[in-house]
Amino acid sequence: MSEPATKAGDAAAFGLERRRGADLLEVVFKFQSLFGLVLVVIAAIVFSPTKNGSLLFIDPDNLFNVVRSISEIGILAVGMTLVILIGGIDLSVGSVLGLASVGAAVLLVENDLGVFLAVLIVLAIGLVFGLLQGVASAKFGIQAFIVTLAGMQIARGLARIWSGGQGVSITYGDGPGQAPVAFSLLGERTFNGVVPIPALVFAVVAGLAIVLLRVSAFSRHIYAIGGNEKAARLSGVPVTRVKVLVFGICGLLAALAGIVHAGQLNFGGPNDGAMYELDAIAAVVIGGTSLMGGRGTVVGTVAGALLVGVLRNILALNNVDSNIQLLVIGLVIVLAAGLQRLRPASAGS
Amino acid sequence: MSEPATKAGDAAAFGLERRRGADLLEVVFKFQSLFGLVLVVIAAIVFSPTKNGSLLFIDPDNLFNVVRSISEIGILAVGMTLVILIGGIDLSVGSVLGLASVGAAVLLVENDLGVFLAVLIVLAIGLVFGLLQGVASAKFGIQAFIVTLAGMQIARGLARIWSGGQGVSITYGDGPGQAPVAFSLLGERTFNGVVPIPALVFAVVAGLAIVLLRVSAFSRHIYAIGGNEKAARLSGVPVTRVKVLVFGICGLLAALAGIVHAGQLNFGGPNDGAMYELDAIAAVVIGGTSLMGGRGTVVGTVAGALLVGVLRNILALNNVDSNIQLLVIGLVIVLAAGLQRLRPASAGS
Amino acid sequence: ALLAVTACGTTSENSQPGGQQPGAAPECNKDGKFTIGMSQANKAEPYRERMDDDIAKAAAAVPQFTVNFADAQQDNSKQVEQVENFLTQQIDLLIISPNEATPLTAVVKKAYDQKIPVLVLDRKVDGDAYTSFIGADNVDIGRQAGQYVAEALLPSGGKLMEIRGLAGSTPAKERSEGFKQGIQGKNIEVVASGDGDWLRDKGQQQADALLKANPDVSVIYSHNDPMAEGAYIAAQNAGRTGVKIVGIDGLPIESGGLKAVEAGRLAATFLYPTGGKEAIDAAKKILLECQQVPKQQVLQTERVTKDNAAQVYARLNQG
Amino acid sequence: MAAPLVGMSGVSKSYGGVHAVRDVDFTVEPGEVHALLGENGAGKSTLMKVLCGEVGGYRGDIRIDGEPVRFTGPADAQRAGVAMIHQELDLVPALSVAENVFLGREPKTPVGTVDRRRMVREAKALLERTGVELDVRRPVEQLRTGEQQLVTIAKALSLDARVLVMDEPTSALSAPEVERLFAVIAELRRADVGIVYISHRMEEIGRVADRATVLRNGSVVAEFDARELTAAQASEAMVGRPVHLMFQAEAPDQPAGEELLELKDFRLAAARPRPGRRDPAGIDLTVRAGEIVGLGGLLGAGRTELLETLYGVGTKAPWRGRVTLRGKPIHPRGPRQALRLGITFLPEDRRVAGLALDHSVLANSVLSIVDRLARFGVVPRRAERAAAQRTVERLGVKLARLSSPVGSLSGGNQQKVVLGRNLLAEPSLLLLDEPTRGVDVGAKAEIYRLLGEIAAQGVGVLLASSELAELVGVCDRVVVLRGGASVRELNTSQVGEADLLAAAMGEGPMITELAEGSAT
Ligand SMILES: Nc1ncnc2c1ncn2[C@@H]1O[C@H](COP(=O)(O)OP(=O)(O)OP(=O)(O)O)[C@@H](O)[C@H]1O
Ligand SMILES: Nc1ncnc2c1ncn2[C@@H]1O[C@H](COP(=O)(O)OP(=O)(O)OP(=O)(O)O)[C@@H](O)[C@H]1O
Ligand SMILES: [Mg+2]
Ligand SMILES: [Mg+2]
């Protein structure tokens, strides 16, 4: 009776002895999405142009600009991470961002709603849009790619119809047809005008997601579904509900990104956000999340988004031709993804 | 010992007996991608506007026009089907189409090459581009999505650089700076001016692919890799080689589509083909091919492409507002994909 | 030679109070070295690519100038980011052709407030926190196209169809509105319209179906030349060789509308000048000659038909 | 003396820090059946994968006919006449049986296309050799696990190999198919093929093998003449101590508890039957609290379908007859409802339906109860770890640590993780489908002991198995299914394996009365 227990104990001890070396390696690989980022940052510093003897790249203003510039993609990418973790994909986020930016602008300017109400309505629209996609994909079993490809078109069409065929400008003030000044905060910086609000929103969203994925039962279900959906279902995971909810969250975050977008630009653009979905997916994948689902972290996604942002910034600061930029970014993305592959294979060949 | 054999025989007979009914059903579901098409065609006839008492939609001229209008997407989709069958995806096809159209135009007009040589070079470029992506994905194990996302940017950058930024017009004649008249055939119709050449090219490509997938050992390998890569490898299927080749074929077909594009429009546009990859993927998925790989047919893909083409045509014939078109197309795509799901589930729940 | 180029005409509205103008642009100096940032909305449209080319060409003649180009890929956010990058680089002058007006207003103002002269091309920003606007008027060009159709192509009325630019974009809306004004009261009916997204192949696709549904159409008005070329191919395919096609932009390049008019594929096009050369002229005035520039330079459009196409082409490409 | 057909010497292979195989010498002679024994994770599969070119990066050398070889891949090994039937049934689900059999070696017509007619013909012949008659044009995904196993055997036979490795070829087969396979092995032996035979069914070893080598922790610990080897000896060599094999069937004298699950003429009214599926078609059975009831039957008798249906994941069709749990009618429409009723299910194929192989042992073992562990949606890490640790220790799972991916464990240990997850959910009725498939004797003994323990706590167990010894040894009663219906109920204290087999095959003396007499 005691024999098996001892055996397990032995194995554990044996394991422990081996552990130190393996652990270090694993930590290294666990954070390799961060390494990619670190490498790119180092490259950025090395190649940074100087002005009056100081490096332009590490100017705090510039750094915050980088964060601000990726904040929308970053918010989208957080939601996308969840969707990809369950083995799905969401191509509609860019269009939903556009729809939300139009919605925010129209509700604030044309319908004269307050900021709170307008934001609430727009978030609800994003949530419902996402949930519907989730139902189509999880409940009716239509492939997420195709559902959200259609969703992408539908959201774009809705955005154009709602906006009346033209972008909606947001002006601030108390009069009718003007948005409350509070909304313009999204374009501002806080902490003595240093930290841009969108960057803050992104940080909060990412932080919440990181914590959520660490501690919640919900996250266990997400990973399980991505790892082996059938096993998850047999283990009593409410697979359909979790999937629908994840798509809902992704839609909600896309709407949030759209609100940030509108606030930053004072504009609801029906065509805005085109191709953002690809940027968001790229950030997720560069961050080491597997498109097969079940593996990945939001930390990686944040690193992936920053990596692309820094890369773009340093290329722009060096006035690299825009076509060459396309080539360089393409190559670096492949290299970064290639780095992920160095991870010690876990099982199988 | 003979008993079990007899029993098994009984079971088989029993199975056979049941089979007829099941077979019919199975045939129905096997061709359900065609059913979607049939439904849409019926709808198109019902909703077709009439002119002088005749239905505009079923005018042969219009029908061939539909085929012509989807021929480029169709050619891309055939290659895409192969890639998706092995469980991959190729986002670069639209950009490669643009690159090829530029290449054809530049080689014909600026380098004054003959049609044969120019086409050969462009096809070779597409092939090599595809093969390289295949190597990155199959050999270095980087996810196809990310490799081809990068490839998409890289091909776009190359197209812009090669064309010098502006599109290249193709004029025909014998003089220097003019393309051989033979190339303009791609914009013409044959068989008494009825069948557009691009439609013919598409038909030939699709026909070859259908036959290839039916009879070749190569196709068994493709399905096997998509169905269970490990099993394929253990069975001695040259997995890496097949994958690389499939990406190569996809690149080749994208280049072919680019040549058709240039010939139809008399123009090499570096920005052309944007988003075509999504249309191609949509055609493949509507046609019933699983994005998980291992299941699907080119027949389905052709039906999927035609379905979208007919849908667009009938909406345009009725002068439907373009935003409403987006909504309708989105919804029909989801419905068509939903139809696929009625297929009797294969295993488990 | 430089002046000859502006033969298409420049009306200078000198009525601006000019108080806001950074008349004393940062230490203007004949022998200084200046970096100019050029923020382009996108390089996917031939018109904008040509604008960049015009700027590059004009600047190449000014040894004091270096121009950095950025391509915002039709993305308002990206364009804001790129202007911010220019500010980080501490450029001496900003030329911007905004993707949309309002979204770029704030960052343009930021530059302007930092005493960087700002030249806005083609599409304005809101307010007046910029140094000078140089561009043509989309409503006006649409109106002229309408008037041309009414006068020359359908003098006794008729039916036409419209191939529009990207739905939801400002120029598409303005070119459409202007056109309506131009044909007002002339018994001309727009029986169908489709969105060609500014693209040649989309223009062809739309025209294909629309021509089928509307066999009585005799004129196609397209919001730009590439879509007009696409419509031309569609008309050829449909055997409708009699359909007259009118485009806009008139780019003086091989694949541009001028050549198409010259070859008879398009009945007419309307020159939509890029203002690139004018922008560098203005930059010279501000940075080298310490002069003020007018707040508004509305570039005149010009009707181009087979009669004058070759001549306009030659004129725009000299120098 | 001539060189052996296969000679492996000093072969070692390690994964990271795990020494899967250490310094092993192993030979196979022509016409010999060499059994390879060992606990789960002893390194049997790894050693054979090295031999068959599937695993590279090993130390030591391999000779075929005395010639040193180093295969670059499975295809390379196959060309040299070395083939393997894999433990995991690696088939392509969407391809037909024939296409699977000839995958990678498709017969060609003169014009280079696949000769489909020949493929079908030859595949049919091969399958007949293994004793099943299947439509070889059917996709493999529609086959039962056992049938799939026969397809992999046919596939290996088609290679005409000189060395054939069989890694647990019978784990999903019931008695008649096993007999058939033995006949095939005898045939191969006569053709001088060298065979390596791996199995955890000890009683098979003495019947087929000539020689037996035992691995423990990657090293050879013993070699026997298999013909004289008893199951007890083999087990002892593997585990390193005597294994009092399972069945201490001290018939649970405790009065059987209340009636837990009761089925009366249970059947599904499916609109149209799915080919190859054998949905419940008239089943009567009772499981009392504290009782282990076996489900016997041949390949395709409908055991799996019954369990799946009871767990709410079977064919979607109206239920007919009576299904009650503690007297109340039940009809779970999904796992969550079943779990709420206190029913858990251990699926037959752990890799497909049981585990996320990439994920840690920790994540896999607590999946069913994270909801319950969570407070306000937050799972306390310590509680999670503790629960996993408890399970791992209780079942004696051999692993490096809780965070290791479960896919890196040996098959038997993977199985224990799934069982552990079931137990954590604290069921009152446990549905087990082939719970010891691929599990070594030692672990089997532990699992049986555990089942006894759980049953003693008042849990009812319904256990489907193809191993007659297991049914007879572990269960209190066995219900035999045939064609989706229950045909016999046997009391295991009064009947043996032979009776069971006879009942399953539908022959032999009518002993129903006897069984019924004892059951009621
Ligand atoms: N791909 C791999 N990565 C890491 N470890 C592995 C891998 N494959 C096997 N192992 C380890 O090697 C050891 C031997 O495994 P192997 O599969 O050879 O055992 P086995 O004797 O076949 O067991 P079973 O009877 O359960 O099939 C185990 O400890 C296992 O965890
Ligand atoms: N045509 C089919 N389509 C889908 N699934 C099938 C089909 N045929 C069999 N199955 C699946 O195969 C499994 C039954 O096979 P299994 O290997 O359990 O048979 P068995 O154990 O030999 O017989 P038993 O039914 O007695 O358990 C079930 O999970 C069932 O869902
Ligand atoms: Mg094994
Ligand atoms: Mg079974």
Side-chain angles (χ1 to χ4, degrees), chain D residues 191-231:
Chain D
D192 267 354
V193 176
I195 294 171
V196 181
Y197 191 89
I198 301 176
S199 177
H200 289 297
R201 296 183 175 179
M202 287 305 133
E203 72 280 5
E204 293 174 1
I205 304 301
R207 291 199 46 208
V208 282
D210 304 304
R211 235 181 346 144
T213 295
V214 179
L215 290 184
R216 199 188 310 151
N217 287 330
S219 312
V220 176
V221 291
E223 233 191 279
F224 294 97
D225 184 334
R227 276 160 296 208
E228 277 135 41
L229 183 67
T230 64

Side-chain angles (χ1 to χ4, degrees), chain A residues 105-139:
Chain A
V106 170
L107 292 175
L108 289 171
V109 172
E110 296 179 9
N111 303 6
D112 271 322
L113 295 187
V115 171
F116 183 74
L117 200 57
V119 165
L120 209 68
I121 293 175
V122 171
L123 290 180
I125 291 173
L127 178 68
V128 169
F129 196 91
L131 289 174
L132 286 178
Q133 293 189 134
V135 168
S137 138
K139 194 131 194 135

Side-chain angles (χ1 to χ4, degrees), chain D residues 144-146 172 298-305 307 348 433-434 464-466:
Chain D
R144 305 169 169 280
T145 318
L298 297 182
L299 182 71
R303 294 160 294 182
T304 297
E305 284 87 341
L307 297 182
E348 181 173 35
D433 197 0
E434 311 277 1
S465 174
S466 293

